[in-house]
Amino acid sequence: MKRYSGVKSGFGLVELLVAVSLFSIVTMIAVGGFIGSLRNQRRAAALVAAQSSLSLVVEQMAREMRLGHYFCDTAHTTCSGLNEVMFVDSNSNTITYRFNNNAIERSEDGNLTFEKLTSDSVVVEYLVFRLQGNLASDTFPPRITISIGARGKDVPRGAEIVRMQTTVSARFLDT
């Protein structure tokens, strides 16, 4: 036989407030971690896209420079701007690669028109060309070291950037 003790079973207001507060805190921590991991995933994807785009541009420049001759860089007075390299390609066109407006550009008509080589999702931070062996008297084939730093468009300035460097040796001596 059951007896009624006068005590009601269930949760009181204080217990309910504590349970809801704990649930809210745990949920906010979990959502914050999820949002942080999504942000990091987007940054990683932007870095991969920047690296892929830069790899294509560097490969195009290297392929063309291997067969080029008569190289000059910004240390010589015959080049017109900063962070650029000029040379004559295998078809006797004057080719210029330069850094302009956070992009890498190419001209093949004597610097009259430039086309942008990097995609719009990439922001180029710097582009440096270093030449060695580009004088006719040094008896060495020209060597061009290309250094590039870039980041994804959605990655804030000062965050991680992709850095690439390669050295290209021209196949012919400058005579």
Side-chain angles (χ1 to χ4, degrees):
M1 178 168 167
K2 289 186 173 180
R3 285 194 291 167
Y4 181 69
S5 64
V7 177
K8 296 181 182 179
S9 62
F11 294 107
L13 183 61
V14 172
E15 290 92 1
L16 190 59
L17 285 174
V18 168
V20 168
S21 298
L22 286 175
F23 177 76
S24 298
I25 290 171
V26 169
T27 302
M28 286 192 311
I29 291 171
V31 167
F34 181 70
I35 289 172
S37 67
L38 280 177
R39 184 179 305 121
N40 289 337
Q41 188 271 338
R42 285 187 185 129
R43 282 186 178 178
L47 286 173
V48 168
Q51 182 175 8
S52 176
S53 178
L54 286 181
S55 292
L56 291 172
V57 171
V58 167
E59 183 59 33
Q60 177 184 346
M61 287 191 293
R63 191 177 322 118
E64 217 167 19
M65 288 177 183
R66 275 188 206 100
L67 297 175
H69 53 280
Y70 303 120
F71 288 87
C72 74
D73 62 2
T74 56
H76 299 84
T77 57
T78 56
C79 293
S80 61
L82 298 175
N83 302 321
E84 70 179 26
V85 66
M86 292 174 63
F87 60 95
V88 177
D89 71 358
S90 59
N91 297 325
S92 298
N93 296 322
T94 300
I95 304 296
T96 303
Y97 286 103
R98 73 178 185 181
F99 173 63
N100 186 36
N101 294 327
N102 292 88
I104 299 172
E105 296 178 337
R106 178 184 181 274
S107 173
E108 64 179 38
D109 58 6
N111 297 343
L112 295 176
T113 59
F114 281 89
E115 66 176 309
K116 184 177 173 184
L117 296 178
T118 51
S119 71
D120 292 335
S121 63
V122 175
V123 176
V124 179
E125 296 285 335
Y126 63 88
L127 172 65
V128 178
F129 295 102
R130 291 181 189 90
L131 287 176
Q132 293 177 323
N134 57 325
L135 301 176
S137 61
D138 62 14
T139 68
F140 293 108
R143 281 193 333 222
I144 306 97
T145 300
I146 306 166
S147 301
I148 302 174
R151 62 182 167 81
K153 186 177 183 180
D154 298 331
V155 176
R157 187 175 189 94
E160 313 87 9
I161 66 171
V162 175
R163 301 175 198 276
M164 296 181 82
Q165 180 172 320
T166 190
T167 300
V168 180
S169 292
R171 293 185 180 168
F172 307 107
L173 289 174
D174 286 342
T175 55

